[in-house]
Amino acid sequence: MNRRFALKALAGTGLAATIAACAPMSEQPSIAGILSTNDQFSTLVAAADAAGLVETLAGPGPFTVFAPTNNAFDKLPAGTVESLLQPENSDQLTAVLTYHVVPGVVTSDQLIGQRTSATTVQGGSLHIDATGSAVHVNDARVTQADIMASNGVIHRIDSVLLPE
């Protein structure tokens, strides 16, 4: 009797493991995972890699990232990105990138109709205006909000934020 019960339990466990192995993963990718698989963020990903921040953005968080697109980086004066990527400018690059990150999760529904500020990981303050038809972070406009990740949220922006 015990042998039959043990065999049934073992067979049930094996079936459950097989089903679990075949089931699609429901977990969302991390912020780093989402950014790295989207070509419009390739400059941001290269900069995060150069600053050694990719692992952090793949970590537990939670973070809110205001993510500038490649076009946003293209708006910077000629040579700025190349200069920031030089090893001797690592501290400046880290300051710029961490100025785009706020601890915790801030979604658009928390901001609608408000003017507020948020302290960044870099230590500076972002001014957020969500009172009009578009959300602005400093001088950047949010072009896509609430890209949810396993460790936070990404808001795509159209300009690079520079610390004061």
Side-chain angles (χ1 to χ4, degrees):
M1 186 89 157
N2 286 339
R3 200 178 281 165
R4 215 178 305 161
F5 176 78
L7 288 174
K8 283 182 182 179
L10 185 59
T13 304
L15 179 61
T18 302
I19 291 170
C22 294
M25 291 182 63
S26 62
E27 186 177 313
Q28 296 170 311
S30 68
I31 290 170
I34 291 171
L35 294 175
S36 68
T37 58
N38 189 322
D39 289 342
Q40 68 182 322
F41 297 117
S42 62
T43 303
L44 177 60
V45 171
D49 187 40
L53 295 173
V54 172
E55 189 173 311
T56 300
L57 292 176
F63 305 110
T64 297
V65 176
F66 295 98
T69 62
N70 296 343
N71 289 338
F73 280 99
D74 290 343
K75 291 180 183 179
L76 293 172
T80 301
V81 173
E82 293 78 10
S83 176
L84 285 170
L85 292 175
Q86 296 298 316
E88 62 270 17
N89 296 326
S90 176
D91 290 344
Q92 186 179 5
L93 176 62
T94 299
V96 169
L97 294 177
T98 56
Y99 188 63
H100 289 80
V101 181
V102 174
V105 175
V106 182
T107 58
S108 62
D109 63 332
Q110 296 170 300
L111 299 172
I112 292 176
Q114 297 185 51
R115 281 192 181 130
T116 189
S117 61
T119 302
T120 68
V121 171
Q122 178 265 352
S125 184
L126 296 175
H127 304 286
I128 302 169
D129 184 352
T131 58
S133 60
V135 176
H136 288 88
V137 180
N138 291 358
D139 294 327
R141 186 170 68 87
V142 174
T143 57
Q144 183 180 1
D146 301 334
I147 303 167
M148 300 308 295
S150 63
N151 60 343
V153 63
I154 302 165
H155 302 292
R156 183 179 66 200
I157 57 175
D158 66 355
S159 298
V160 176
L161 305 171
L162 298 173
E164 299 170 359

